[in-house]
Amino acid sequence: AIMRQCLADQWVQDHLSNIIQRRVALEVGLLIGRLGRSGKDNILFLARTPFQDGAAAVTEPGQGKGLRLDTEWISEHASQVTRMLPGGVAVVGAYLVAGSGAFQGVAAALCGLAKALRVDASDDSLLLHVDATTG
């Protein structure tokens, strides 16, 4: 993985602070912004992936089974959001709010999701993990 510098709009920073303050334990969504050619990316908005048929896109079944990530629904959400965005702005990745242990359990699925979300074949998608236990 290549190290990239991301610049976040103040709204994004405030939203992440709000998630931490509200002690949100589990949330998944899309990173909206622009990928910079010089390695400086801009994150403009976080779009939480909505429930589908009453089910969240990320759930914790319990009994130590780890997280269940509905990558198909998250990808569909990304497609729908992409159609609504103006030129120059795109879905550039995904974010996950979860404890670090839970994150490790779905890291491979998130990497697969990141590949599916690529703006074009030459770009990498971004993944943002917000540790729900430590902020």
Side-chain angles (χ1 to χ4, degrees):
I2 299 170
M3 181 66 76
R4 299 185 71 97
Q5 180 180 6
C6 292
L7 305 172
D9 185 78
Q10 186 63 47
W11 183 91
V12 171
Q13 294 175 42
D14 292 345
H15 185 70
L16 289 173
S17 293
N18 187 325
I19 286 173
I20 292 165
Q21 288 173 356
R22 289 185 296 129
R23 300 192 185 282
V24 172
L26 212 51
E27 182 174 300
V28 67
L30 307 173
L31 300 172
I32 311 297
R34 291 186 292 266
L35 294 177
R37 296 291 172 214
S38 61
K40 290 184 180 180
D41 306 316
N42 291 302
I43 306 302
L44 304 171
F45 190 75
L46 302 177
R48 183 181 61 82
T49 298
F51 282 45
Q52 178 190 36
D53 300 327
V58 60
T59 55
E60 193 164 19
Q63 291 109 15
K65 294 182 183 177
L67 296 180
R68 186 191 67 78
L69 195 63
D70 188 347
T71 55
E72 187 175 312
W73 172 238
I74 299 166
S75 294
E76 175 60 28
H77 178 227
S79 295
Q80 292 175 12
V81 168
T82 297
R83 289 191 293 267
M84 294 185 284
L85 294 173
V89 178
V91 173
V92 296
Y95 73 91
L96 175 69
V97 177
S100 59
F103 175 77
Q104 295 302 322
V106 294
L110 282 171
C111 288
L113 177 64
K115 287 180 183 177
L117 295 178
R118 284 195 288 196
V119 176
D120 64 46
S122 65
D123 287 327
D124 288 324
S125 289
L126 305 174
L127 290 176
L128 172 65
H129 171 234
V130 178
D131 190 334
T133 55
T134 63

